[in-house]
Amino acid sequence: MRARSSIEGTSPRSGAALSGPLVTIITVVLNRAASVGRTIESVHRQTYAPIEHIVIDGGSTDGTLEVVRRYAHRLAYWSSAPDRGISDAFNKGLAAAGGDFIGLVNADDWLAPDQIERAVAALQRTGADFVFGDLVYHDPSGRPVHRIKGDPDYARSIRRGMPAVNHPTMLVRRSVYEAVGGFELHYRYSMDYDWLLRAHRAGVRGLYEPGLTGHMSLGGAGDAHHLAARAEGREIAIRHGLPRALAWPLYLFRIVKGSGRRALERLAPAPLSDRLRRLLNRSYQPHG
């Protein structure tokens, strides 16, 4: 990571607090011309400042770069070059980051207007190493469909699989990345679980903050490749000490549960599907 910077990457909207630790938001993107502008706007409109926004493009060919160039005056730094996947792009962003606190908000994600203000306040109030909140999922039309609540007791289950620590809502102290390191390049979909598990094993303490909310569109890399993501999660848990005799049954159970959920969404009336999902996942809440 570069040395701390005085750059105020985005101009805060009127009324934003104008003092506080520098926050870096990193957005990695590949061929998301339709959504990357929304992500950048959501950073620009935060009620908190100073923020620097870094965009790492993986060599888009669909018009994404035209959108990024249009917003270049709001960015502290951006680059475009082929990379080795999402982990590599994250690490490039971390290398360019100058903030005391760092968040990863990709081009299928966007921030609630007060998200950074709430997250910084929680970190300063509690001394936690990172903070996270709830994540609202939206369908392709932009309609909110459900919420995944963050799990304040995530440490109890993290060794068995990825808990409800919603990555687009996380704000992490720079010192944690300096101690734990970046993201493993050989993971393409579950690199956030590997990083979080490494951080947990190093004694890093996360905090769930009620009222802290982020947004995500359905259909990202993890959704499109959910079987591969599940397999990576299984291998990550085994790598960090979960016995194979337990990891494999948990993996198969999650595959069956996920397949059943998708079938319910297609075939069952929404009220019935929502009730069953709440039974299977205590973090799930239907919207509305």
Side-chain angles (χ1 to χ4, degrees):
M1 296 182 191
R2 72 185 188 190
R4 283 178 173 79
S5 169
S6 62
I7 293 173
E8 296 188 9
T10 61
S11 302
R13 69 182 187 179
S14 177
L18 293 175
S19 63
L22 179 63
V23 172
T24 300
I25 299 298
I26 298 167
T27 296
V28 307
V29 57
L30 179 64
N31 293 331
R32 287 292 187 270
S35 62
V36 68
R38 177 183 59 192
T39 304
I40 296 172
E41 286 283 357
S42 78
V43 177
H44 176 68
R45 293 174 178 171
Q46 288 299 293
T47 58
Y48 177 88
I51 297 175
E52 64 169 15
H53 192 189
I54 292 170
V55 173
I56 307 296
D57 175 76
S60 293
T61 58
D62 72 334
T64 293
L65 292 182
E66 286 75 6
V67 178
V68 172
R69 289 190 182 101
R70 192 160 68 240
Y71 286 102
H73 63 289
R74 298 182 181 178
L75 304 177
Y77 172 80
W78 71 275
S79 67
S80 180
D83 55 43
R84 296 170 60 187
I86 297 172
S87 293
D88 190 23
F90 280 159
N91 290 342
K92 289 180 179 181
L94 291 172
D100 298 283
F101 303 136
I102 300 172
L104 304 175
V105 183
N106 297 336
D108 290 316
D109 314 331
W110 65 99
L111 302 172
D114 64 348
Q115 186 172 331
I116 300 304
E117 183 177 6
R118 284 179 177 269
V120 170
L123 288 171
Q124 292 181 314
R125 182 182 74 248
T126 66
D129 295 311
F130 68 88
V131 65
F132 63 99
D134 300 343
L135 189 60
V136 177
Y137 285 81
H138 298 251
D139 68 16
S141 72
R143 180 179 65 91
V145 290
H146 66 263
R147 174 187 295 259
I148 298 297
K149 290 183 62 66
D151 182 3
D153 297 320
Y154 75 90
R156 298 177 61 182
S157 61
I158 189 172
R159 292 180 182 271
R160 299 191 299 274
M162 182 63 179
V165 177
N166 296 306
H167 204 246
T169 70
M170 288 177 64
L171 194 66
V172 182
R173 292 184 185 273
R174 176 193 188 88
S175 58
V176 175
Y177 280 112
E178 291 174 340
V180 175
F183 295 85
E184 294 286 349
L185 296 185
H186 54 279
Y187 296 126
R188 298 185 61 82
Y189 309 111
S190 298
M191 69 291 293
D192 52 344
Y193 176 44
D194 174 74
W195 185 90
L196 188 64
L197 191 46
R198 284 191 283 124
H200 175 73
R201 296 185 68 189
V204 170
R205 181 172 65 92
L207 170 76
Y208 169 67
E209 178 69 6
L212 176 62
T213 303
H215 299 270
M216 173 182 278
S217 291
L218 292 167
D223 288 333
H225 303 278
H226 61 95
L227 293 178
R230 292 290 190 193
E232 281 193 355
R234 178 198 66 219
E235 293 307 311
I236 289 165
I238 291 170
R239 177 186 176 190
H240 290 285
L242 187 70
R244 286 185 177 272
L246 179 57
W248 271 94
L250 285 171
Y251 163 72
L252 294 173
F253 170 74
R254 289 168 183 143
I255 293 297
V256 171
K257 186 172 75 170
S259 299
R261 173 179 63 81
R262 289 174 175 83
L264 276 172
E265 290 172 348
R266 291 193 307 269
L267 302 174
L272 174 59
S273 175
D274 287 337
R275 283 198 296 272
L276 291 173
R277 287 195 68 176
R278 284 198 299 269
L279 288 173
L280 292 171
N281 182 357
R282 66 179 183 175
S283 297
Y284 173 85
Q285 287 186 342
H287 194 271

